[in-house]
């Protein structure tokens, strides 16, 4: 696979074949957004995805489906605060080879990113959101991390600006796929037909930023130091993880919010 158009065609095929468009639920990442993430991961040769925020398992099932076709690995973290919902989600995903983790991503992302599994990693977060999610993924970024993705990067937000500065406009699928192939166009048409009238978010402007990393932007992300991070600067979070103080990382995010509202 050589370019994003071709990779997007293969990814769209997975979503169309799996009937995922008609199973989309409000709150979940849109089908085209997930297809774009899979396409970028395929191009980048990713062999392990670490996800935070699975809720009912919509995005996780798509990742597991993609991974099971070629031996890639998926780990997925969620707080699982609603026990009944979590149990239903686990049942939905039981047929797929996914490592399901219950806990706070502020510590579990550290454990998973540091456990040595996988040679080329992708990180995707859809809870927590915003700057805490960005600092968490920046802290988890080492030389193996090839792709970083975050949901709900709406136009006008600082997080979206950061993704566009580090990865260009093509961090979002509308800009990356200016002349998409037939399978992508079919996926987009079905997405609009299914969710166009009801979805709370715009189907025209995607909000899943997918950042492909190279040596330059990986270093900028990893070493980012911003006022928006408050106390949870990536270097601080990483230092706690390196010390094995995983639970303290969650406390750092909580303290930052209480003291600085960040
Ligand atoms: C919008 S839902 C995820 C939807 C899912 N990605 C999909 O597309 O189907 C957000 C999820 O993030 C989880 N979450 C929020 N903060 C978290 C944290 N700090 N650690 C782990 N999970 C978290 C919530 O429990 C919730 O299930």
């Amino acid at each position: 696979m050589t370019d994003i158009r071709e990779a997007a065609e293969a990814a769209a095929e997975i979503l169309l074949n799996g009937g995922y468009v008609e199973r989309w639920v409000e709150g979940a990442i849109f089908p085209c957004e997930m297809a774009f993430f899979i396409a970028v991961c395929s191009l980048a040769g990713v062999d392990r995805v670490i996800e935070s925020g699975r809720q009912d398992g919509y995005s996780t099932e798509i990742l597991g489906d993609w991974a099971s076709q070629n031996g890639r690995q998926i780990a997925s973290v969620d707080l699982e605060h609603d026990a009944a919902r979590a149990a239903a989600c686990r049942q939905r995903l039981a047929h797929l080879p996914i490592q399901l983790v219950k806990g706070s991503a502020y510590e579990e992302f550290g454990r998973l990113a540091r456990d040595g599994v996988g040679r080329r990693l992708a990180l995707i977060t859809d809870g927590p959101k915003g700057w805490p999610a960005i600092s968490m993924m920046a802290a988890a970024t080492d030389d193996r991390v090839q792709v970083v993705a975050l949901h709900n990067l709406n136009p006008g937000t600082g997080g979206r600006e950061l993704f566009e500065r580090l990865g260009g406009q093509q961090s979002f699928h509308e800009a990356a796929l200016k002349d998409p192939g037939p399978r992508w166009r079919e996926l987009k048409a079905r997405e609009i037909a299914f969710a166009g009238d009801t979805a709370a978010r715009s189907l025209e402007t995607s909000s899943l930023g997918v950042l492909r990393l190279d040596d330059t932007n990986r270093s900028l992300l990893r070493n980012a130091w911003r006022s928006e991070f408050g106390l949870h600067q990536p270097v601080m979070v990483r230092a706690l993880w390196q010390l094995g103080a995983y639970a303290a990382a969650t406390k750092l995010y909580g303290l930052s919010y209480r003291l600085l509202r960040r």
Side-chain angles (χ1 to χ4, degrees):
M1 213 169 284
T2 54
D3 66 17
I4 187 65
R5 188 181 192 272
E6 197 186 333
E9 286 296 282
E13 190 71 36
I14 292 174
L15 274 94
L16 289 167
N17 283 347
Y20 288 108
V21 175
E22 289 72 22
R23 283 194 277 145
W24 177 82
V25 288
E26 185 60 61
I29 299 174
F30 284 133
C32 281
E33 294 176 325
M34 283 309 296
F36 181 54
F37 176 72
I38 285 175
V40 176
C41 287
S42 299
L43 265 188
V46 164
D47 62 6
R48 188 191 195 201
V49 177
I50 303 174
E51 174 191 57
S52 173
R54 68 175 170 271
Q55 195 154 272
D56 302 313
Y58 180 78
S59 56
T60 319
E61 188 175 2
I62 294 169
L63 291 175
D65 193 343
W66 169 70
S68 67
Q69 294 177 17
N70 44 33
R72 295 173 172 117
Q73 302 192 41
I74 308 294
S76 172
V77 183
D78 199 283
L79 291 167
E80 295 193 327
H81 277 162
D82 180 334
R85 203 169 185 177
C89 176
R90 282 178 177 256
Q91 185 146 17
R92 170 186 188 160
L93 301 172
H95 65 293
L96 292 166
I98 303 173
Q99 182 185 356
L100 297 174
V101 179
K102 175 179 178 174
S104 161
Y106 297 131
E107 49 198 280
E108 301 303 340
F109 244 56
R111 285 199 180 91
L112 289 166
R114 292 173 52 74
D115 66 9
V117 179
R119 287 175 298 106
R120 296 176 73 83
L121 308 185
L123 313 175
I124 178 169
T125 300
D126 183 22
K129 315 265 183 179
W131 293 108
I134 294 173
S135 78
M136 175 183 86
M137 290 195 287
T141 294
D142 63 17
D143 287 349
R144 295 173 304 150
V145 176
Q146 308 296 321
V147 178
V148 166
L150 177 59
H151 197 212
N152 300 111
L153 289 176
N154 296 315
T157 59
R160 190 180 184 102
E161 280 164 26
L162 178 67
F163 267 59
E164 288 182 339
R165 187 159 58 75
L166 293 178
Q169 303 261 313
Q170 64 269 29
S171 303
F172 295 85
H173 69 66
E174 306 86 346
L177 293 164
K178 290 250 187 260
D179 175 30
R183 299 310 280 156
W184 182 275
R185 281 188 268 117
E186 162 86 15
L187 182 67
K188 188 72 204 169
R190 274 175 53 181
E191 181 179 281
I192 291 169
F194 182 73
D197 291 340
T198 54
R201 279 178 290 118
S202 163
L203 275 166
E204 281 173 23
T205 310
S206 67
S207 74
L208 185 75
V210 182
L211 186 58
R212 177 103 184 250
L213 296 182
D214 56 23
D215 288 348
T216 304
N217 61 9
R218 183 183 295 107
S219 171
L220 287 169
L221 178 66
R222 191 177 147 75
N223 299 312
W225 184 285
R226 301 183 60 111
S227 61
E228 293 93 336
F229 292 146
L231 301 181
H232 51 80
Q233 301 294 333
V235 66
M236 299 296 294
V237 177
R238 195 178 305 122
L240 290 173
W241 289 345
Q242 276 163 355
L243 290 168
Y246 293 105
T250 292
K251 292 202 172 80
L252 181 68
Y253 281 90
L255 187 65
S256 182
Y257 187 73
R258 277 198 300 281
L259 294 180
L260 305 171
R261 287 284 175 268
R262 286 175 191 164

